[in-house]
Amino acid sequence: LPISTLCGGASATLTDNTAISPGTLTYKWDDVSASTTKTIVVTPPSTGAGTLTYHVTVTNSSFTSCSVVNTITLSYSNPSVTIASNPGLSLCPGATATLSTTVTGVQGTPSYVWSPGGATTPTVAYPGSSSATTAPYTVTVTDGFGCKATSTVTFTVSNTADPVTGSIVPNPSATICPGQTSTLNWVSSISSDPHTYTINWDHGFGT
């Protein structure tokens, strides 16, 4: 039995082609069902990458001492790729960004092709735009088995800044006694906010 490779959780049909005569052949596989047929269908995991080995014992019913054990190893991969943008996907005109990839579930060393541009590196730069636009970027990752995964993100370049929302958080309290101090912190309402802000405070004595 040959070595086979599978992509994306695809099933495989395994057939034993042992020829022993005269007599009738019986089969016993070590799959989860302990199958006793000449052909079985197996489905590797639909996530991650690895190998699975199957054995089949073939016995001649006329000569029970005449048996052979055949082995097949299935290698499988389920590539997945995500794209992260620093500082983000919403940009002002002229702003640039860096796109980086995270790849899982591959066999071997993955290769990369970006569109537009045709770059073949895991990380690429978005050069920015001088005018308002949307710009999709797609990366296709191919692993050592030829299994593929694709991901797309879209930059939005806008002349109108996104509204900034947040709250002022006093520490230790907003209520203090004469002579005590409290530290005021402005906290963005965006979880894990990647942006950098310039904050002007107006406390009655200027900004």
Side-chain angles (χ1 to χ4, degrees):
L1 298 174
I3 296 177
S4 299
T5 59
L6 296 172
C7 298
S11 297
T13 300
L14 309 183
T15 302
D16 184 88
N17 293 317
T18 299
I20 304 176
S21 61
T24 301
L25 300 182
T26 60
Y27 305 88
K28 185 177 181 180
W29 293 83
D30 63 353
D31 62 329
V32 294
S33 301
S35 301
T36 57
T37 54
K38 178 183 177 70
T39 297
I40 65 172
V41 177
V42 296
T43 303
S46 58
T47 59
T51 59
L52 296 171
T53 299
Y54 296 91
H55 304 87
V56 57
T57 301
V58 184
T59 303
N60 188 314
S61 60
S62 298
F63 305 92
T64 55
S65 61
C66 297
S67 62
V68 295
V69 178
N70 291 320
T71 301
I72 183 171
T73 298
L74 297 176
S75 296
Y76 64 91
S77 65
N78 297 279
S80 175
V81 56
T82 57
I83 303 173
S85 175
N86 184 14
L89 294 172
S90 297
L91 303 175
C92 295
T96 62
T98 299
L99 294 176
S100 58
T101 54
T102 300
V103 176
T104 60
V106 295
Q107 294 272 17
T109 302
S111 61
Y112 304 81
V113 178
W114 290 86
S115 176
T120 57
T121 53
T123 301
V124 297
Y126 171 64
S129 172
S130 60
S131 59
T133 187
T134 56
Y137 269 66
T138 299
V139 63
T140 299
V141 174
T142 305
D143 74 356
F145 286 172
C147 303
K148 298 179 183 293
T150 299
S151 183
T152 300
V153 295
T154 300
F155 287 102
T156 300
V157 180
S158 175
N159 290 317
T160 303
D162 292 335
V164 177
T165 60
S167 60
I168 298 174
V169 179
N171 184 21
S173 172
T175 302
I176 57 176
C177 296
Q180 293 181 331
T181 62
S182 184
T183 301
L184 302 181
N185 297 290
W186 182 84
V187 179
S188 171
S189 61
I190 302 173
S191 177
S192 302
D193 194 342
H195 299 91
T196 299
Y197 298 99
T198 298
I199 300 174
N200 293 319
W201 292 92
D202 184 354
H203 45 66
F205 302 98
T207 58

